[in-house]
Amino acid sequence: MTERVKLTIDDIPVEADKGAKILQAALDAGIYIPHLCYLPEADLPFGGCRLCYVEVEGRGLVTACTQPVSEGLVVRTDTPGAARLRRTAFKLMIAYHDLDCRKCWKNKKCELQKLAPKLKVKLKTPEEFRALPTEQLPLDTTNPYLRYDPNRCVLCGKCVQICTIRNGKSLIDFVNRGYETRLALSSSMTLIEENCPSCGQCVAICPTAGLEPQSGLEALMDRTGEE
Ligand code: FES
């Protein structure tokens, strides 16, 4: 049987499996901590979005999705330091994001729109976090089933994680570094036919409009259904 540990989160007593992450323990106890890139089913925490900062007694500011619980841990989600880091991480995330939401097909279903009020951040371009001028990047339509919009992608890595979980090896991956970081979708039909189960989870899990199905995905799913 898995050992249980007792901790407190915002003075609320919480019990969790030893080794569980603080974020999961909080969510299971009904305590909300902002988060975006966290996938409970992933073997290793990704820790990319930095929206889940909390303060832990004796450890300082940590990301709740990467830090395990332990006996007697004292966690605070509401300190000024944690809130400031979460807001900064969010502003960096939207600094180059196309915020013309009315023209976006994901408008009103976008996770950024839900997170902004929780983080007390206005969903408008934070000019102080921009180092480069605005540039509309071309869409990547080379994959027959998915369309990638780098102007709407926030590089949360959820599509990469879910594809790895489903297939053992992701058909989507990060390329380049820094401001040039993008997602690359496999456009090799051999790789796609051999490895893509056409589950559509990469599109379903995308929190923004970064990934969109192309008509080929439906065709592939129909074909898979016949087999
Ligand atoms: S949810 Fe913790 S870093 Fe993204």
Side-chain angles (χ1 to χ4, degrees):
M1 212 172 98
T2 313
E3 197 182 326
R4 303 279 285 173
V5 295
K6 292 184 177 158
L7 61 150
T8 64
I9 304 178
D10 295 340
D11 298 325
I12 299 166
V14 168
E15 263 195 48
D17 285 350
K18 191 176 179 187
K21 300 298 183 278
I22 293 171
L23 177 59
Q24 192 59 58
L27 296 176
D28 289 346
I31 300 165
Y32 178 73
I33 298 173
H35 58 282
L36 188 69
C37 70
Y38 175 66
L39 268 192
E41 55 269 63
D43 284 342
L44 292 172
F46 181 66
C49 75
R50 323 305 282 177
L51 296 185
C52 65
Y53 270 110
V54 294
E55 201 150 349
V56 173
E57 210 171 270
R59 292 191 202 167
L61 290 159
V62 299
T63 44
C65 70
T66 60
Q67 290 288 312
V69 296
S70 56
E71 186 65 35
L73 204 69
V74 177
V75 181
R76 296 223 66 98
T77 70
D78 53 359
T79 68
R84 193 178 60 245
L85 281 184
R86 292 198 295 251
R87 277 199 300 273
T88 300
F90 188 74
K91 286 180 181 176
L92 285 167
M93 187 180 284
I94 61 171
Y96 292 93
H97 185 79
D98 185 344
L99 287 170
D100 196 352
C101 299
R102 287 165 308 169
K103 289 191 183 147
C104 178
W105 66 275
K106 206 78 178 266
N107 188 22
K108 301 209 163 78
K109 292 186 289 274
C110 173
E111 287 296 320
L112 301 181
Q113 291 174 316
K114 293 179 195 156
L115 278 162
K118 289 180 173 144
L119 292 161
K120 301 190 172 58
V121 175
K122 285 209 168 68
L123 209 47
K124 70 176 187 30
T125 301
E127 298 296 340
E128 71 276 25
F129 286 89
R130 290 171 60 93
L132 300 172
T134 306
E135 184 190 3
Q136 198 67 19
L137 299 166
L139 304 187
D140 179 351
T141 57
T142 53
N143 181 295
Y145 306 119
L146 306 173
R147 195 168 73 140
Y148 172 55
D149 185 350
N151 307 290
R152 309 270 193 202
C153 171
V154 289
L155 301 170
C156 70
K158 280 180 128 173
C159 53
V160 181
Q161 291 185 75
I162 199 73
C163 193
T164 308
I165 291 166
R166 279 294 304 238
N167 306 314
K169 174 176 177 299
S170 184
L171 293 171
I172 308 169
D173 210 348
F174 294 103
V175 289
N176 307 333
R177 286 176 180 273
Y179 290 117
E180 299 297 317
T181 308
R182 309 269 185 269
L183 287 183
L185 275 52
S186 177
S187 55
S188 152
M189 275 316 289
T190 311
L191 277 179
I192 292 167
E193 287 187 339
E194 284 176 1
N195 298 294
C196 178
S198 65
C199 62
Q201 287 198 33
C202 53
V203 174
I205 212 161
C206 178
T208 66
L211 287 182
E212 191 178 356
Q214 300 215 71
S215 54
L217 181 64
E218 281 170 23
L220 181 66
M221 291 174 90
D222 287 349
R223 211 174 62 208
T224 311
E226 285 165 14
E227 287 165 2

